[in-house]
Amino acid sequence: MTTELLAPPERNYLSAGYTARSWLLTVDHKRIAILYMVSITLFFFVGGAAAVLFRLELMTPEGDLVISETYNKLFTLHGIVMIFLFLIPAVPAVLGNFLVPLMIGARDLAFPRINLLSWYLFMLGGALVMWSTFVGGVDTGWTFYTPYSSTYANTNVMLAALGAFVTGFSSILTGLNFIVTVHTMRAPGLRWFRLPLFIWAHYATSLIMILGTPVVAAAIFLVALERGLGIGIFDPKLGGDPLLFQHLFWFYSHPAVYIMVLPSMGVVSEIIACFSRKRIFGYRFVAMSSMAIAVIGFFVWGHHMFVSGQSVYAGLVFSFLSMLVAIPSAIKVFNWTATMHKGHVWLSTPMLYALGFIGLFTMGGLTGLFLATVAVDVHVHDTYFVVAHFHYIMVGGSVMGYLGGLHFWWPKITGRMYPEWWGRFSAVLVFFGFNLTFFPQFVVGYLGMPRRYHTYPEEFQIYNVMSTAGASILGVAYLIPLIYFIWSLKYGPRATANPWDARGLEWEAASPPITQNFETTPIVTTDAYPYAEDEQRTEETLLV
Amino acid sequence: MTGHVAHHFDDAEQQFHAANLGMWIFLATEVMFFGSLFAAYTAYRYMFPEAFVAGSHSLDVVMGTINTAVLLLSSLFVALAVNAAATNRSRAAAGFLVGAIVMGVVFLGIKAVEYADKFAHNHVPGAHFQFHRESEGEHAVDGEHHVSVNESAIPGGDFQAGHNSPDRTLEKRVELFFSLYFAMTGLHALHMVIGVVLLGIVAYQAWRGAYSQTYFTPVEVSGLYWHFVDIVWVFLFPLLYLIR
Ligand SMILES: [Cu+2]
């Protein structure tokens, strides 16, 4: 690793201003990425704190720490905060915001002010969710199912739902910005099939953001009308159908899983190419599999409703379509594996996270096939099996990708190196803690423990104790990077423009980049990941 | 001219292309947003055809038709404004835009009259909602008067079968029709209000001579938005007023 003592460029995007105003009114995509990074980190620890509390409660079969109502509010808070305020913005709004213009050789996103607006909307939505918590909390679960949310839950549900609605618009604006930027602002010579896979993944994610989010917005809008004005759309007393809410909700919320995981897949592609010193195997297949996941993902929402009274035929069709998603997902996993094959694999911190991603995502994906099978789903529906499955995808997938990406591009973002030993240590600890938390939940779910209850029969205690122990380890493993990242801002060694000897336009910019990103617009003459031709040289560099 | 190109774009053409594409993508999200409401309407109409026909008959087709014509005319004005701006006639563009704004306000006025009528007849969903087929007089459907709804065939039907007469059941379902009517036309009217403000700003700029052959992006982009809102109405009108 080359970490020569270099002075950072005198003027870079970080030194462009130190006042609060220079941050809060910035239109620089890199600074907005930092604003997002700080905000989602705060929300991550809020959502994590809720999880700590209910994991403690679940240590014992009796309800002894909190009453059931508080328990319901805790898992609702955890769900709403982690999904709407952390997982959905995590990779796109932080890493995507920072890297999309850099990777395509542009000076900014197409609409810098709309980008800033999207952060303000995000914060407004986050404030509403926090407000709903402070005035008493919401107990509907993050899914806001009707008629619970429209008739029976307390009124704070409207604040929280409004929060989700507003953050939805921030997500739409981010997606819109990415699509327009990728279409209109690529550097000369950067044809579509020369784009880094990170960009393809974000393009596919953006499609879901702009086409899926408005549907959940409409669903929340209708719940608000029902709740606020007394007009009924999902109300069975009027002949309305609560199932319609579930259809609209999952039409977005299933694809939303791909908003969380596709960008992480993009991150993993970049990391694996770099630390295997090879061009990604089957580049076009990996690029197109992102698009395929985005498209097929829109036609599988019914798998959340196998036991909701949907017709058998609809169930079978949704079951079949859900299994189709496994094909593009498997294409990615196989191609990543093939990329590493005979590559010069270097187990750096980002690479450990990427490998962790592959393992956990594969596990989550395969158990997803169980759940897509109607007969099995009837048995395990609403049990901890489902909880374990989606955490393997959303935490095992998204968070591993986010952390891997954060380590990979940390030198670019801050101009400093993080401590490699601590990085590897916490990456391994995250993987271990995660599996200890969630693997027992597959077992206890299969044995029949339902989700969303704060008491359970005694024979399930051993699994819950394992899970809580794992969650404690996971909590510590997430705190370590927080500490050393902050430490590195002052004490980390200075990073060169390209400390990993990686390929890609972002590594041609300075670390940290100047406000305009590049001194002169780069011209692209090669495909993505041109690692192979100078394998020999990189080997010498890396084995120092 | 170059003064209009933001720092991160290479040239005016790239900027125009980006703004245009941005608006098209925004409209795609709008299609999905209204599309969800259309899907809800279609599902319930399929479940309760008679109640929806009865509800539809209480809407004033004449008012709806006039409003459709008014909106189409406004779209024509907007198209003329874009053309005027693109041919260096900024002031003429301002004039056309004012024409479109006037048409938009007329539309909203007629819509307000219709809403007032609904309030007067207690057709607004909520505690005071009333719908009596007999008293709806001139709007009532010809022919069969007593509607028998096959309760068991309808989800949620059993729920009310015990206490409610078929007329009461029908009333509840007409209320569902009006819930969707107000949700969809209300949301459309909100988009109209935003459109009027948007065109107002652009018209003011046009009057000051801000647009020319080389730079008329705001006219083009806000025009796209206006046409979209117009097209939403072109779908709402037959769905709510005409299909009976
Ligand atoms: Cu799903």
Side-chain angles (χ1 to χ4, degrees):
Chain A
M1 194 170 66
T2 50
T3 51
E4 307 141 39
L5 279 173
L6 277 185
E10 271 169 38
R11 43 179 196 96
N12 60 53
Y13 82 99
L14 289 171
S15 67
Y18 296 100
T19 58
R21 186 190 157 86
S22 76
W23 282 98
L24 294 176
L25 294 180
T26 182
V27 288
D28 181 346
H29 66 103
K30 300 180 288 299
R31 284 186 158 231
I32 294 170
I34 303 284
L35 291 176
Y36 264 114
M37 186 195 290
V38 174
S39 336
I40 68 162
T41 305
L42 287 174
F43 288 129
F44 178 78
F45 283 98
V46 170
V52 166
L53 286 175
F54 65 66
R55 266 328 317 167
L56 281 176
E57 163 60 52
L58 290 169
M59 285 263 281
T60 56
E62 308 82 34
D64 35 22
L65 182 67
V66 292
I67 57 170
S68 43
E69 198 192 347
T70 311
Y71 179 82
N72 292 352
K73 287 175 179 174
L74 285 172
F75 73 66
T76 303
L77 178 68
H78 172 72
I80 294 175
V81 168
M82 285 304 203
I83 287 171
F84 295 109
L85 303 180
F86 178 73
L87 289 170
I88 287 177
V91 179
V94 178
L95 298 175
N97 235 330
F98 196 94
L99 292 164
V100 166
L102 278 165
M103 282 186 169
I104 66 170
R107 289 185 283 279
D108 205 323
L109 288 173
F111 308 114
R113 275 179 296 184
I114 287 181
N115 196 20
L116 181 64
L117 174 65
S118 93
W119 180 73
Y120 275 101
L121 286 174
F122 175 73
M123 292 310 283
L124 175 63
L128 286 167
V129 171
M130 290 302 115
W131 183 14
S132 78
T133 307
F134 291 130
V135 294
V138 180
D139 62 351
T140 57
W142 77 279
T143 46
F144 298 117
Y145 267 18
T146 54
Y148 199 38
S149 59
S150 57
T151 311
Y152 300 110
N154 66 33
T155 46
N156 302 332
V157 72
M158 270 341 290
L159 279 176
L162 192 64
F165 182 83
V166 174
T167 53
F169 282 96
S170 116
S171 162
I172 289 173
L173 294 180
T174 302
L176 185 152
N177 230 332
F178 285 174
I179 292 181
V180 175
T181 306
V182 174
H183 269 279
T184 61
M185 301 179 72
R186 300 189 310 279
L190 189 50
R191 298 194 298 260
W192 282 86
F193 282 113
R194 284 179 174 176
L195 287 171
L197 291 165
F198 182 91
I199 298 292
W200 275 105
H202 276 73
Y203 188 85
T205 306
S206 303
L207 286 179
I208 303 173
M209 284 170 159
I210 61 157
L211 296 178
T213 320
V215 176
V216 81
I220 294 175
F221 169 73
L222 293 176
V223 170
L225 287 186
E226 185 148 341
R227 199 151 184 134
L229 303 180
I231 81 170
I233 305 227
F234 306 118
D235 185 354
K237 275 187 240 150
L238 299 179
D241 196 337
L243 272 191
L244 179 67
F245 177 83
Q246 296 186 22
H247 278 293
L248 295 177
F249 181 82
W250 289 114
F251 183 87
Y252 165 75
S253 295
H254 180 81
V257 175
Y258 303 129
I259 296 182
M260 302 173 214
V261 84
L262 272 172
S264 280
M265 290 171 157
V267 169
V268 168
S269 296
E270 301 297 316
I271 293 175
I272 286 186
C274 175
F275 295 108
S276 306
R277 315 308 303 169
K278 272 178 74 185
R279 183 177 149 80
I280 283 280
F281 185 85
Y283 166 90
R284 286 189 186 219
F285 282 95
V286 180
M288 284 301 114
S289 64
S290 289
M291 300 301 282
I293 288 173
V295 172
I296 301 171
F298 272 114
F299 301 98
V300 304
W301 77 89
H303 63 218
H304 295 271
M305 300 168 64
F306 285 154
V307 297
S308 298
Q310 174 179 258
S311 88
V312 179
Y313 304 105
L316 290 176
V317 171
F318 279 124
S319 169
F320 173 73
L321 291 170
S322 303
M323 293 194 188
L324 279 189
V325 183
I327 297 172
S329 308
I331 286 176
K332 283 185 187 287
V333 171
F334 292 143
N335 282 307
W336 289 327
T337 316
T339 305
M340 286 183 278
H341 178 65
K342 293 193 176 169
H344 297 266
V345 176
W346 177 29
L347 295 178
S348 62
T349 307
M351 189 63 168
L352 289 177
Y353 277 110
L355 293 175
F357 175 100
I358 297 178
L360 300 182
F361 173 76
T362 303
M363 185 78 184
L366 291 175
T367 50
L369 289 175
F370 293 31
L371 292 168
T373 312
V374 182
V376 181
D377 183 70
V378 171
H379 176 66
V380 294
H381 188 85
D382 264 352
T383 67
Y384 269 85
F385 191 89
V386 177
V387 175
H389 155 72
F390 70 70
H391 279 87
Y392 266 81
I393 298 285
M394 285 151 62
V395 185
S398 308
V399 180
M400 295 298 269
Y402 175 64
L403 285 174
L406 211 51
H407 284 86
F408 188 48
W409 285 291
W410 190 255
K412 183 57 58 189
I413 295 170
T414 65
R416 300 279 186 165
M417 302 303 295
Y418 60 86
E420 182 66 24
W421 188 89
W422 281 103
R424 291 186 203 187
F425 173 72
S426 66
V428 172
L429 205 60
V430 165
F431 188 78
F432 178 70
F434 178 88
N435 280 300
L436 186 58
T437 311
F438 292 104
F439 195 84
Q441 295 186 6
F442 279 126
V443 181
V444 78
Y446 194 80
L447 293 175
M449 179 167 164
R451 63 192 286 205
R452 296 187 169 175
Y453 286 87
H454 84 314
T455 59
Y456 54 85
E458 260 174 42
E459 67 257 36
F460 294 148
Q461 186 170 13
I462 177 69
Y463 304 104
N464 279 289
V465 169
M466 279 198 262
S467 198
T468 301
S472 317
I473 295 172
L474 195 55
V476 172
Y478 284 145
L479 278 171
I480 296 173
L482 180 74
I483 294 165
Y484 65 67
F485 273 144
I486 294 173
W487 173 89
S488 76
L489 291 178
K490 196 157 164 44
Y491 303 104
R494 299 244 183 241
T496 57
N498 190 359
W500 313 118
D501 195 17
R503 305 291 179 272
L505 293 181
E506 79 271 31
W507 301 108
E508 289 176 22
S511 295
I514 58 169
T515 301
Q516 301 284 315
N517 291 346
F518 302 96
E519 300 286 355
T520 52
T521 303
I523 295 170
V524 180
T525 53
T526 61
D527 288 347
Y529 316 114
Y531 284 104
E533 80 274 16
D534 48 8
E535 213 168 77
Q536 213 46 47
R537 190 178 68 78
T538 55
E539 193 175 5
E540 283 157 21
T541 321
L542 292 172
L543 293 179
V544 173
Chain B
M1 170 224 136
T2 44
H4 292 298
V5 181
H7 74 280
H8 57 296
F9 289 115
D10 293 334
D11 50 41
E13 197 193 331
Q14 188 188 32
Q15 174 164 283
F16 179 78
H17 186 190
N20 222 353
L21 182 63
M23 182 48 89
W24 277 104
I25 288 167
F26 176 72
L27 295 183
T29 72
E30 291 274 39
V31 166
M32 296 306 288
F33 190 66
F34 278 102
S36 328
L37 298 176
F38 282 8
Y41 180 87
T42 310
Y44 287 142
R45 200 195 150 83
Y46 178 75
M47 284 159 77
F48 315 122
E50 290 167 279
F52 274 53
V53 169
S56 171
H57 271 274
S58 77
L59 300 179
D60 194 330
V61 181
V62 177
M63 297 261 212
T65 310
I66 294 173
N67 254 350
T68 310
V70 165
L71 269 196
L72 289 176
L73 195 58
S74 79
S75 260
L76 175 65
F77 277 129
V78 166
L80 290 171
V82 173
N83 182 267
T87 50
N88 290 323
R89 293 175 295 133
S90 200
R91 287 238 161 163
F96 287 128
L97 288 172
V98 169
I101 291 169
V102 169
M103 291 296 120
V105 173
V106 168
F107 175 93
L108 288 169
I110 293 178
K111 202 76 226 155
V113 172
E114 283 190 82
Y115 277 4
D117 180 67
K118 294 281 158 281
F119 269 99
H121 287 83
N122 288 326
H123 283 170
V124 180
H128 300 292
F129 186 82
Q130 279 179 8
F131 189 86
H132 303 299
R133 173 155 291 193
E134 282 72 21
S135 68
E136 298 303 322
E138 71 278 10
H139 297 308
V141 198
D142 297 331
E144 132 185 67
H145 231 70
H146 286 282
V147 189
S148 60
V149 182
N150 186 351
E151 295 289 346
S152 57
I154 293 162
D158 308 330
F159 196 73
Q160 308 122 9
H163 328 285
N164 295 323
S165 64
D167 268 0
R168 177 82 185 127
T169 307
L170 182 81
E171 184 181 31
K172 291 312 245 179
R173 285 167 190 172
V174 175
E175 191 176 350
L176 192 61
F177 169 84
F178 278 108
S179 293
L180 284 161
Y181 167 81
F182 278 103
M184 295 202 285
T185 56
L187 211 56
H188 177 260
L190 178 67
H191 279 77
M192 291 285 300
V193 171
I194 294 169
V196 165
V197 173
L198 206 62
L199 291 191
I201 297 167
V202 176
Y204 173 70
Q205 292 294 337
W207 185 251
R208 292 177 55 206
Y211 306 122
S212 65
Q213 202 174 354
T214 49
Y215 177 70
F216 59 99
T217 314
V219 190
E220 169 87 16
V221 168
S222 55
L224 272 178
Y225 173 83
W226 188 267
H227 292 317
F228 169 79
V229 178
D230 190 355
I231 288 169
V232 170
W233 178 257
V234 169
F235 280 92
L236 282 176
F237 175 58
L239 214 54
L240 296 168
Y241 290 74
L242 294 184
I243 305 176
R244 290 180 167 177

